[in-house]
Amino acid sequence: MCSRRTGLTGARTALERNHNQQGNASAIGLDRQHARSDTIPSFKSFPSFEHPGGGIRPVTKPPFRANLPDRPMPIAGVDLVEEILELKRERNAVILAHNYQVREIQELADFVGDSLGLSFKAAETDADVIAFCGVHFMAETAKIVNARKKVVLPDLDAGCSLSESCPAERLEAHLAEHAEKNYYVVAYINCSAGVKALSDVICTSGNAMRIVQAAPADRNILFVPDQNLGAWVMEKTGRKMDVWKGNCYVHVEFTRASIDRIKAEYPDAKVVAHPECTYAVRMLADEVCSTERMIGYCKNSPAREFIIVTESGMLHRLRREAPEKVFIPGPTETCACADCRFMKMNTLDKLYDCLLNLEPEIVLPEDIRARAEKPIRRMLQLSA
């Protein structure tokens, strides 16, 4: 296990500190280079934080057992699922799964949705532990809004090309170099805790237009880190912004040609694309929206077939939410669908291990966590 720096001052996980003591940890994180490209609970979904609200059934809190007895590694399949559920009860944990996780994890999770909405759902529970099945910045976000809960991530190497395109140190240097612009920094939620701490307000893909429209008229806006989402927001709002040159490697793999080909094969299908896609792809879409809004759009549309232009994990949730509809994965030039290699790093085996050992744990310096929480709270105020 490698170490990882988080935030502006080098927060480290509890696990990596142990490895540092052994002298075999290597620094990664903000400047990291990717080293490598009972019963099952009922499915629960909820509104995105573009539309805050929705209730939650509180977790029944069992006695917490700090020292669990030795247990054999369960075999794959039902035994592993049962062991994970038992560990979840013993740890008084809540399992969160992002929309892009594999089917097995989505079906096991207490909540499935977008990253910020999941973090606030966890805050409404009395769980002591959050097992976040997503990528690193999502687990950081959960820690930012759940300071007193232990947050664990099944695979610490589950990073994000978009988040890592905007390291906090580079953003801080950019703001200092262009201090005369007095930037109002709007940060897409897909960024590190350090970047959030440098921002004025956070946005999601669902509320980005509203947040930008609410920005002070006398301030220059710097939108980070996604250039495609930023361009789409400018198209929709007419508000000029300077945009950080970052992107999600999955969404930029969709091309006009690849979507044209699948449209020719399914001429009656509606094309639904995420705003992280390029302009050429967005121009082909019948609807451009966040993952949460995709669900409502597809449910309410009279169309029966939909070409979904986002990460492949979203197809599973759509099929569960709207089983009467047909969902076709948007292809790239090289693949019939689009898998995020980082999202797919999380597995049931790794989820079991992280609940058993309560690591890798996400740990943030309190000053960074508190500074990062402010722009999130400001977003909530502007979205109310």
Side-chain angles (χ1 to χ4, degrees):
M1 180 66 66
C2 296
S3 70
R4 176 180 185 106
R5 291 190 293 117
T6 303
L8 295 176
T9 58
R12 295 188 179 273
T13 66
L15 179 61
E16 71 196 36
R17 284 196 296 269
N18 293 335
H19 282 279
N20 284 343
Q21 292 171 1
Q22 298 168 10
N24 62 354
S26 61
I28 56 178
L30 294 173
D31 55 352
R32 184 180 71 170
Q33 298 298 314
H34 296 306
R36 58 180 184 275
S37 264
D38 330 308
T39 60
I40 297 177
S42 60
F43 179 78
K44 311 178 191 70
S45 61
F46 53 89
S48 162
F49 249 76
E50 62 203 54
H51 299 299
I56 187 169
R57 185 165 52 198
V59 176
T60 301
K61 186 173 181 178
F64 183 75
R65 297 167 62 185
N67 297 305
L68 299 179
D70 291 338
R71 58 175 81 214
M73 182 65 189
I75 62 173
V78 175
D79 286 353
L80 180 56
V81 169
E82 291 176 349
E83 285 288 330
I84 290 171
L85 293 174
E86 178 60 25
L87 273 173
K88 185 185 81 167
R89 286 188 289 270
E90 292 176 339
R91 294 304 201 189
N92 188 32
V94 60
I95 299 174
L96 310 178
H98 188 266
N99 290 317
Y100 296 162
Q101 290 296 288
V102 295
R103 174 181 60 83
E104 294 81 6
I105 288 179
Q106 288 195 35
E107 293 183 356
L108 187 66
D110 295 293
F111 299 99
V112 177
D114 62 24
S115 59
L116 186 59
L118 288 171
S119 296
F120 279 100
K121 282 297 172 181
E124 295 175 11
T125 75
D126 66 352
D128 295 305
V129 175
I130 298 170
F132 205 121
C133 299
V135 295
H136 194 274
F137 81 80
M138 297 178 181
E140 282 188 338
T141 303
K143 185 64 178 180
I144 290 167
V145 300
N146 293 275
R148 297 183 179 180
K149 297 181 188 291
K150 183 183 290 287
V151 178
V152 293
L153 179 67
D155 192 321
L156 194 65
D157 286 333
C160 171
S161 63
L162 176 55
S163 175
E164 295 190 8
S165 71
C166 183
E169 291 94 337
R170 280 181 55 199
L171 176 58
E172 188 172 36
H174 184 83
L175 293 174
E177 183 181 354
H178 301 281
E180 76 285 353
K181 290 197 172 184
N182 189 29
Y183 276 128
Y184 184 83
V185 180
V186 178
Y188 183 30
I189 190 69
N190 295 25
C191 64
S192 69
V195 168
K196 290 180 176 71
L198 291 167
S199 303
D200 292 285
V201 67
I202 303 301
C203 73
T204 68
S205 54
N207 67 18
M209 286 187 288
R210 180 186 298 183
I211 297 302
V212 167
Q213 287 171 327
D218 60 345
R219 297 280 298 277
N220 295 307
I221 298 176
L222 176 63
F223 189 95
V224 300
D226 192 280
Q227 60 186 327
N228 293 309
L229 177 61
W232 179 71
V233 171
M234 283 195 285
E235 294 162 19
K236 294 297 182 180
T237 64
R239 182 73 187 267
K240 187 180 183 302
M241 302 188 295
D242 291 336
V243 178
W244 193 268
K245 301 301 182 184
N247 60 59
C248 165
Y249 91 90
V250 174
H251 287 96
V252 299
E253 287 185 345
F254 298 110
T255 67
R256 182 183 184 89
S258 69
I259 302 305
D260 268 336
R261 284 195 295 270
I262 198 72
K263 282 184 68 178
E265 189 174 348
Y266 298 92
D268 296 328
K270 297 291 186 182
V271 177
V272 186
H274 196 278
E276 290 178 27
C277 294
T278 63
Y279 176 78
V281 171
R282 297 197 306 269
M283 289 296 291
L284 296 175
D286 296 284
E287 180 72 8
V288 178
C289 61
S290 67
T291 52
E292 293 299 317
R293 284 188 176 173
M294 285 182 185
I295 296 167
Y297 174 80
C298 294
K299 279 184 171 181
N300 297 327
S301 171
R304 181 173 178 270
E305 297 179 333
F306 301 87
I307 297 167
I308 304 301
V309 190
T310 192
E311 209 275 346
S312 63
M314 189 64 195
L315 292 163
H316 179 65
R317 183 172 174 196
L318 284 165
R319 288 165 180 159
R320 295 192 70 169
E321 295 268 2
E324 74 283 3
K325 303 292 179 86
V326 176
F327 298 102
I328 303 142
T332 68
E333 292 295 337
T334 59
C335 182
C337 61
D339 286 346
C340 173
R341 64 181 179 270
F342 302 114
M343 286 286 185
K344 272 32 178 188
M345 285 181 174
N346 296 313
T347 64
L348 290 180
D349 286 325
K350 292 175 183 177
L351 176 57
Y352 171 87
D353 287 341
C354 85
L355 283 171
L356 178 66
N357 301 312
L358 293 182
E359 56 185 32
E361 182 185 0
I362 302 299
V363 179
L364 297 173
E366 177 54 23
D367 62 327
I368 297 299
R369 189 209 65 79
R371 287 169 57 194
E373 185 178 17
K374 289 180 181 179
I376 294 175
R377 300 295 176 186
R378 185 171 295 118
M379 179 203 72
L380 298 180
Q381 294 171 358
L382 295 174
S383 299

